[in-house]
């Protein structure tokens, strides 16, 4: 079981600078814990600098953070 919350995600600019303000759009009351093989769809939004191509990081403080390209 992996509990998931909005604060687990961070947008990082192409220059490696964290964007600290991001928003969960049309959120359910809470994000559901995830189990192996489960899926959950949510929309995260962030105001970024014009022309930037940021990445989205799940659990940036962990030993093995997961990096995603939000443009894909």
């Amino acid at each position: 079981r992996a509990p998931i919350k909005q604060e687990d995600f961070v947008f990082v600019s192409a220059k490696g600078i964290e964007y600290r303000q991001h928003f969960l759009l049309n959120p359910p009351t809470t994000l559901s814990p995830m189990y192996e093989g489960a899926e959950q769809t949510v929309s995260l939004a962030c105001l970024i600098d014009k022309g930037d191509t940021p990445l989205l990081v799940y659990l940036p403080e962990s030993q093995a953070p997961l990096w995603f390209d939000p443009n894909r």
Side-chain angles (χ1 to χ4, degrees):
R1 177 177 178 215
I4 296 178
K5 55 191 179 298
Q6 179 176 339
E7 296 80 25
D8 292 339
F9 298 90
V10 174
F11 285 87
V12 177
S13 74
K15 294 179 181 179
I17 300 168
E18 288 185 11
Y19 287 105
R20 294 308 256 169
Q21 297 292 333
H22 62 276
F23 310 93
L24 186 60
L25 300 178
N26 299 320
T29 53
T30 60
L31 294 175
S32 302
M34 298 293 289
Y35 295 87
E36 185 175 344
E39 291 184 15
Q40 186 170 180
T41 301
V42 298
S43 296
L44 289 170
C46 182
L47 296 174
I48 62 168
D49 293 334
K50 187 174 182 176
D52 194 8
T53 54
L55 295 176
L56 180 63
V57 187
Y58 173 66
L59 295 177
E61 303 298 325
S62 74
Q63 292 182 1
L66 299 176
W67 292 76
F68 300 93
D69 181 350
N71 298 312
R72 290 189 160 188

